[in-house]
Amino acid sequence: MGRPPPRAALAWTILFLLLGTWAGCSKAQGSKVLEGQECEAHSQPWQTGLFQGQRLLCGGVLVGANWVLSAAHCKKEKYTVRLGDHSLRSKNEGEQEMSVAQTIQHPCFNGSKREDHSHDLMLIRLRGRASLGPKVKPIDLAQQCAQVGEKCTISGWGTVTSPRENFPDTLNCAEVEIISQRKCEDAYPGKITEGMVCAGNSNGADTCQGDSGGPLVCNGVLQGITSWGSDPCGRPEKPGVYTNICLYRDWIKETMGKKD
């Protein structure tokens, strides 16, 4: 599977290698999990997958009974959202596959510019409400931005090797930490905006192909959505880049409120 525009996968090399319209509409976009390991089954009950048939497109994050967050570059004309999954090859108890009623990209996202990853965020309204329980549960949005050095978890079904792709059957997780904006800007000169947050570790844990749209979870709340990073994934000096959820909380809440 190729990477959806910038990247869309989480796996072993990463798990991280994964204000209204936000002040000024600066600019924001895909990924995998490398140097990770299989997650404890259903330990990330907010993790979702976007699928066309059996083909994984991207990850996603359940943020309400009928709302999922993902990366804007993951948008397709037609796709379904799978909840409560762990093994992609076998049917999991409590697994749900739901159709999409509406896809709402952030209004400042510019999908026509491949190198512009700004505002890489979209809300997906499900057709119906998910059946919630211990295996399918929304996650709270961060109210405050993450601190440098804060420990976080990334997850996804993206490739666990890079550049050669090797997609796992089960959800993979990795531990990363928040990197300073200065270090992130040094790693990606001229490409980092305030609407992005970077995370990684010295082992090169990272998200990768197939992980885009998945969660960056710090202290039990959603701090980021996997957007983009280095190619190949999993380079310690090139952290993964995530959409910085704390700066988009107002837009997310307002959009969900308008459509409910």
Side-chain angles (χ1 to χ4, degrees):
M1 179 186 97
R3 284 189 182 185
R7 66 200 262 194
L10 266 178
W12 281 74
T13 285
I14 113 188
L15 248 158
F16 192 129
L17 192 193
L18 232 146
L19 310 142
T21 319
W22 187 53
C25 285
S26 307
K27 305 174 179 180
Q29 261 191 63
S31 294
K32 99 187 168 193
V33 174
L34 301 178
E35 294 304 325
Q37 59 186 6
E38 181 179 348
C39 306
E40 179 183 346
H42 308 294
S43 62
Q44 315 298 311
W46 42 79
Q47 175 82 48
T48 72
L50 312 187
F51 288 82
Q52 284 185 327
Q54 295 302 307
R55 177 173 175 257
L56 174 70
L57 299 174
C58 285
V61 187
L62 190 68
V63 292
N66 63 329
W67 288 99
V68 169
L69 271 178
S70 188
H73 76 262
C74 293
K75 182 180 179 180
K76 298 294 182 185
E77 285 301 312
K78 190 174 183 180
Y79 61 96
T80 59
V81 178
R82 200 179 294 178
L83 316 173
D85 208 349
H86 180 67
S87 167
L88 299 184
R89 298 193 188 108
S90 59
K91 184 75 172 179
N92 299 268
E93 183 181 352
E95 181 182 317
Q96 303 167 53
E97 187 149 8
M98 304 188 69
S99 58
V100 173
Q102 188 176 19
T103 302
I104 309 167
Q105 290 177 311
H106 190 278
C108 292
F109 174 72
N110 188 349
S112 65
K113 293 186 177 180
R114 189 177 180 85
E115 295 304 313
D116 183 0
H117 310 312
S118 302
H119 310 294
D120 190 16
L121 190 67
M122 70 178 179
L123 270 166
I124 301 164
R125 184 164 59 90
L126 303 176
R127 196 175 298 280
R129 299 172 71 85
S131 177
L132 303 181
K135 297 180 180 179
V136 176
K137 183 167 59 175
I139 189 171
D140 290 333
L141 305 177
Q143 296 188 39
Q144 297 181 330
C145 295
Q147 301 298 306
V148 174
E150 192 168 339
K151 306 298 184 186
C152 308
T153 299
I154 53 177
S155 55
W157 290 278
T159 180
V160 293
T161 58
S162 179
R164 182 180 178 182
E165 294 182 349
N166 177 22
F167 292 91
D169 169 46
T170 55
L171 187 69
N172 273 244
C173 286
E175 299 304 312
V176 294
E177 64 180 47
I178 300 297
I179 306 297
S180 72
Q181 287 294 95
R182 180 178 174 181
K183 285 185 178 179
C184 195
E185 289 166 1
D186 289 345
Y188 303 105
K191 295 185 177 181
I192 302 301
T193 70
E194 185 184 4
M196 302 173 189
V197 61
C198 295
N201 71 18
S202 58
N203 294 328
D206 190 13
T207 46
C208 203
Q209 264 62 42
D211 289 331
S212 289
L216 171 72
V217 176
C218 313
N219 291 317
V221 298
L222 184 66
Q223 286 284 6
I225 291 290
T226 303
S227 181
W228 63 284
S230 67
D231 188 8
C233 315
R235 297 169 59 185
E237 75 281 8
K238 295 279 190 179
V241 186
Y242 303 79
T243 302
N244 198 4
I245 290 300
C246 65
L247 296 182
Y248 293 93
R249 180 183 170 89
D250 288 347
W251 175 77
I252 294 167
K253 290 292 189 179
E254 288 172 12
T255 303
M256 291 170 63
K258 288 177 184 175
K259 303 297 178 181
D260 273 341

